[in-house]
Amino acid sequence: MIFLLFAANQYYLNKQRFLLEILHHLHEPLRHAECLALGQPIVSDKTQYVHYTEPMREYYRLLSSGRLLPKDVYYNAHQAEHFSETLGLFHFFYNTREWSTLSQNICWARVHANPALFLHALMQTMLKRDDYRVLTMPKIYELLPAPYHSETVVRAAGNFNYINWIRQELMMGNRSHIQMVLPKQLLPTNLTGDLRNTSKWSEAMAEVQILSIGEPKQPQAKLSHLIDDFGWSSYWYYINMGVALRDNPSEAERIRDWCYWQLSQIVARYKLERYDQQMEYKRLSWLEQANSQLLTWQGQRYHLETRATRQHLSALLHKLELSVEQAIATQTLSVSNGTLIDLRKGQNWLLGLEQLFPYDLSRLQVPTANQPQQLLELHTMLRQPSFYAYADRLLHAYRTYRTEFQSSYSQPVRPTDMSIETVLVDPLITFDEPVDVDLSNILHARNFYYEKRFMWPHSLQARRHRLQQRPFAITFQLSSNRTQSIILRSYLTTARGNVNEEPFYQLDSFLTILYQGNNTIRRESSEFPGLIGDHISFTELYHYMSLAEQEQFDFPLNITLPSCGFPRRLILPRGGAGEPLAMRLLVIATPYNYKARQGNELFCDFSNGVSSWNELPQGYPFERFVEEAELQGSHVYWKAVEIEHRDYGMA
């Protein structure tokens, strides 16, 4: 959902304008005259910061000695030196007392820091500072579009000359691969909140020319509709940015559960797509390479996984697997301070879990990360097939450890005096729909300045096709001998197979009350938690903000969608075009013990932990290997379902 909290005031709008203009054309030198003047020195007065930390001192030493990462060097947070510098700049942003100090430091860093490092530190600040979280950041695939599109589209957009195009297209009548969109519109049209293609939208976009470039027509790889989807890749980027640099020991166990559950869901969803395409999905190979060549924001081509990276990651995983095997064999583990702990005593197994399975990718330092590799970049990791093979091995070790050492659950897991009688599912239908994605940040900045004044007269949109589904509902019919509260969890899996070898992807979990007798509960797919729809583009966001400054539009705070929500349109694998894809739905009921917790992870805020219905681990019961008998009984229901794929317009 979009949160329309209340209209913004002018003070807020000034900050919002500053942020959007400073983020425009990150890959080019800053042209904004006011910011250039404001950001001459970084603020070195220690009294202007809540804390002046050691990472800040180290960053200032690097600055003073001229040893900051050059602007034209490839940046990767997995490289130790790059991460250390990122941490220092982040603290120079995060620890500021006043907006004036922050804005000066942002302007300075925009001019002098490596652009990718600058964006990483700024994104972390906006995600983690409560007082600035209300400011809207454009989506990462709009700020740095290159890694999210094909090389052909990126190069065509980068070479686009607006003046020449006007001359050739409008004056001489020559047709090009870039077309003006008439009548003016952007797809999809049905955004939540009526923020697109309305009269107010037309007013905001009145002076903007919308240009469109299509994806080249070429054979698509079997899995490209999933792994090349910008929502799929950006989700991974945001959840990792959310948990990184978060120091909250009291919530570490829950956040770790959540992170490994999210990773398992990504792998499960990927495996379901392989199952749909009749590809091997139970045993993933790290030898499988990506088909597409991608470009960094600097125009460099990403390398596929290098031998050194493969050897390094394989060695790390092999060491982890041996450590888990040894822990199981000896029932002990030597922790980081050298103490040998008995994993059978008390909660020692949780200390072992913390030792063996860190959840923050910033702790994974790769010594060969000095060149662009798809596998080592948050923007592109999920486009590299070998990622899923490595992740699968990691998850197998994680579940093996939990299966051996996890203590019994602290609450009952089977509700009494109730039964799931039947489950009905609406037709499951997928289709490919056209969508416009904002590429304006790739265009040359010179086309957006007139007499040193920033203007936004045109927008370049990439017209792509993406996987979408028709909204559906699941109807549960249950009986109960008494009034009671339960949690219902729904999982999608393959049509057959051993439960510990098949992927289980969670569609829904919700709290409901059963009354004595028969109960019918209907859940719409729009109600499934943790999911988001579409948002307005960078271009639209800027022009809505400009309209609000003229007091012609009540600019809602948080006008875009939560960044750490998963795309709702991707919860179903692509259906069968000729013969429907056969699958199963698993429904599990558990008792509700009135210990639900509400987190804010949808907005990438993990300061108060994560949401949970009860004290069961995230992803119950698949945080470990399960016995077949656990998925049988009156509290469990298996339902055969089919997914059909139709042409756009027929769905």
Side-chain angles (χ1 to χ4, degrees):
M1 60 182 295
I2 293 181
F3 291 83
L4 306 178
L5 299 180
F6 49 86
N9 58 31
Q10 199 65 38
Y11 181 65
Y12 166 86
L13 292 172
N14 290 339
K15 292 181 180 180
Q16 187 64 69
R17 172 177 285 277
F18 168 84
L19 191 61
L20 296 182
E21 292 185 359
I22 205 75
L23 291 170
H24 200 264
H25 286 85
L26 278 168
H27 62 292
E28 293 192 56
L30 183 66
R31 293 171 177 259
H32 200 289
E34 293 180 12
C35 291
L36 285 170
L38 178 63
Q40 287 305 314
I42 193 170
V43 178
S44 57
D45 182 358
K46 297 179 182 179
T47 64
Q48 298 303 308
Y49 300 94
V50 178
H51 304 287
Y52 198 85
T53 62
E54 183 56 36
M56 296 170 73
R57 295 187 181 92
E58 176 59 26
Y59 187 87
Y60 201 79
R61 284 193 288 267
L62 292 174
L63 168 61
S64 301
S65 59
R67 292 182 292 131
L68 289 179
L69 183 69
K71 297 187 67 173
D72 59 349
V73 169
Y74 167 70
Y75 165 80
N76 193 305
H78 294 155
Q79 192 167 348
E81 295 82 1
H82 295 191
F83 176 74
S84 176
E85 191 171 318
T86 305
L87 191 62
L89 184 58
F90 164 67
H91 282 203
F92 265 107
F93 292 161
Y94 184 84
N95 290 332
T96 53
R97 292 184 182 276
E98 304 292 342
W99 170 257
S100 58
T101 305
L102 175 60
S103 59
Q104 182 172 337
N105 286 353
I106 288 174
C107 287
W108 176 88
R110 175 67 175 84
V111 175
H112 298 283
N114 179 283
L117 187 153
F118 160 73
L119 178 60
H120 195 105
L122 181 59
M123 185 73 76
Q124 287 286 359
T125 303
M126 293 302 160
L127 290 175
K128 291 177 169 57
R129 275 281 296 249
D130 292 338
D131 48 348
Y132 297 139
R133 195 176 288 124
V134 71
L135 293 172
T136 302
M137 291 279 284
K139 298 305 180 186
I140 186 60
Y141 50 81
E142 298 174 322
L143 295 173
L144 293 179
Y148 296 90
H149 296 270
S150 69
E151 178 180 350
T152 303
V153 167
V154 172
R155 293 203 183 279
N159 294 330
F160 178 66
N161 186 303
Y162 180 69
I163 303 302
N164 289 345
W165 179 86
I166 288 287
R167 184 183 301 114
Q168 295 290 326
E169 185 82 9
L170 300 184
M171 296 182 180
M172 301 179 64
N174 296 335
R175 304 287 289 175
S176 73
H177 59 292
I178 295 179
Q179 300 292 317
M180 186 180 297
V181 178
L182 294 173
K184 191 180 296 185
Q185 70 168 358
L186 290 174
L187 299 178
T189 59
N190 56 338
L191 293 192
T192 305
D194 293 327
L195 292 170
R196 178 170 284 177
N197 300 329
T198 61
S199 59
K200 191 57 69 174
W201 181 88
S202 298
E203 186 179 352
M205 300 288 286
E207 303 299 323
V208 183
Q209 289 183 333
I210 298 178
L211 311 176
S212 179
I213 180 172
E215 287 282 346
K217 294 183 178 180
Q218 57 189 19
Q220 296 293 310
K222 284 186 174 182
L223 301 173
S224 62
H225 55 276
L226 178 67
I227 65 174
D228 291 344
D229 189 286
F230 54 88
W232 175 254
S233 294
S234 62
Y235 174 70
W236 178 248
Y237 169 86
Y238 279 114
I239 63 174
N240 279 282
M241 291 291 284
V243 299
L245 310 183
R246 171 58 63 194
D247 185 16
N248 191 352
S250 65
E251 296 293 338
E253 180 185 343
R254 287 180 175 273
I255 295 175
R256 177 178 294 101
D257 275 0
W258 186 89
C259 288
Y260 277 90
W261 173 238
Q262 296 307 308
L263 179 61
S264 72
Q265 288 293 271
I266 285 172
V267 173
R269 179 63 185 84
Y270 173 77
K271 286 185 173 184
L272 289 182
E273 208 65 51
R274 294 183 69 93
Y275 165 77
D276 162 49
Q277 296 295 322
Q278 299 181 353
M279 302 169 68
E280 171 58 46
Y281 66 92
K282 295 182 181 181
R283 301 289 182 268
L284 301 179
S285 171
W286 52 264
L287 293 174
E288 188 175 338
Q289 294 287 354
N291 294 310
S292 58
Q293 290 292 323
L294 305 174
L295 297 178
T296 70
W297 63 271
Q298 296 162 305
Q300 301 169 280
R301 182 175 281 111
Y302 281 104
H303 296 270
L304 300 181
E305 184 184 356
T306 65
R307 177 178 298 179
T309 297
R310 184 181 304 127
Q311 290 174 342
H312 178 75
L313 294 177
S314 296
L316 287 177
L317 284 169
H318 184 62
K319 180 181 178 181
L320 171 64
E321 290 163 343
L322 288 178
S323 297
V324 171
E325 289 178 8
Q326 185 175 10
I328 293 174
T330 64
Q331 300 289 291
T332 62
L333 182 71
S334 178
V335 295
S336 55
N337 63 4
T339 303
L340 187 68
I341 61 173
D342 186 341
L343 296 171
R344 296 166 296 184
K345 289 186 177 180
Q347 298 298 303
N348 280 355
W349 75 276
L350 288 175
L351 295 177
L353 193 71
E354 177 183 357
Q355 176 86 22
L356 294 170
F357 298 96
Y359 60 85
D360 184 349
L361 276 184
S362 65
R363 293 170 63 181
L364 174 62
Q365 305 298 338
V366 182
T368 58
N370 55 0
Q371 59 180 330
Q373 295 181 54
Q374 285 184 205
L375 185 64
L376 303 180
E377 179 75 77
L378 284 178
H379 306 296
T380 56
M381 276 186 187
L382 297 196
R383 300 180 77 168
Q384 178 77 15
S386 59
F387 167 86
Y388 303 95
Y390 290 124
D392 206 28
R393 282 181 65 183
L394 173 62
L395 291 168
H396 188 275
Y398 179 76
R399 289 184 176 122
T400 299
Y401 180 90
R402 294 197 74 131
T403 301
E404 175 69 21
F405 295 111
Q406 180 173 289
S407 53
S408 58
Y409 298 122
S410 59
Q411 67 164 77
V413 295
R414 293 197 178 200
T416 59
D417 301 324
M418 61 79 60
S419 175
I420 305 176
E421 302 297 338
T422 188
V423 175
L424 304 174
V425 182
D426 286 356
L428 302 178
I429 297 170
T430 63
F431 56 95
D432 298 319
E433 73 166 355
V435 61
D436 292 314
V437 189
D438 203 329
L439 288 178
S440 299
N441 247 20
I442 294 182
L443 300 177
H444 289 295
R446 62 176 178 267
N447 294 320
F448 291 82
Y449 283 86
Y450 180 72
E451 295 183 350
K452 296 185 178 181
R453 180 171 175 266
F454 180 77
M455 303 178 68
W456 199 318
H458 53 272
S459 176
L460 181 61
Q461 303 284 327
R463 176 64 57 86
R464 301 175 56 164
H465 282 80
R466 65 179 186 183
L467 187 63
Q468 182 60 280
Q469 70 211 6
R470 179 197 288 180
F472 63 93
I474 304 176
T475 302
F476 307 88
Q477 295 181 0
L478 309 97
S479 62
S480 179
N481 293 336
R482 59 186 174 89
T483 298
Q484 59 179 309
S485 297
I486 62 169
I487 306 298
L488 281 176
R489 294 174 171 86
S490 301
Y491 297 90
L492 190 65
T493 188
T494 59
R496 60 198 171 276
N498 184 297
V499 293
N500 288 317
E501 294 183 349
E502 302 304 312
F504 284 82
Y505 180 74
Q506 188 176 81
L507 296 178
D508 189 20
S509 65
F510 66 99
L511 169 67
T512 189
I513 299 176
L514 299 183
Y515 298 97
Q516 185 175 2
N518 296 322
N519 297 260
T520 299
I521 303 164
R522 181 176 173 86
R523 283 283 287 183
E524 302 288 341
S525 57
S526 59
E527 299 176 286
F528 295 176
L531 306 177
I532 57 172
D534 292 302
H535 66 96
I536 61 173
S537 66
F538 192 176
T539 302
E540 294 167 299
L541 177 62
Y542 183 84
H543 286 281
Y544 268 129
M545 182 270 305
S546 297
L547 198 64
E549 288 180 325
Q550 303 167 30
E551 298 184 351
Q552 299 178 33
F553 175 66
D554 291 333
F555 190 89
L557 299 182
N558 209 338
I559 195 173
T560 62
L561 294 161
S563 292
C564 281
F566 185 78
R568 180 176 290 106
R569 55 189 172 77
L570 292 179
I571 61 174
L572 296 182
R574 187 187 184 98
E579 182 177 344
L581 175 67
M583 306 198 77
R584 290 178 296 171
L585 187 72
L586 169 64
V587 179
I588 303 176
T590 56
Y592 178 56
N593 64 355
Y594 300 93
K595 293 186 178 181
R597 296 182 48 168
Q598 181 63 53
N600 204 25
E601 66 275 8
L602 200 62
F603 290 89
C604 310
D605 176 14
F606 295 87
S607 57
N608 295 315
V610 294
S611 302
S612 59
W613 289 118
N614 44 37
E615 296 174 317
L616 295 175
Q618 295 279 338
Y620 166 85
F622 300 109
E623 83 283 359
R624 55 184 171 79
F625 297 121
V626 300
E627 299 290 339
E628 294 274 358
E630 295 180 65
L631 302 182
Q632 297 174 5
S634 61
H635 70 300
V636 173
Y637 194 92
W638 293 87
K639 170 73 175 180
V641 296
E642 294 181 336
I643 305 176
E644 180 184 356
H645 189 80
R646 295 183 182 177
D647 292 336
Y648 179 66
M650 301 293 292

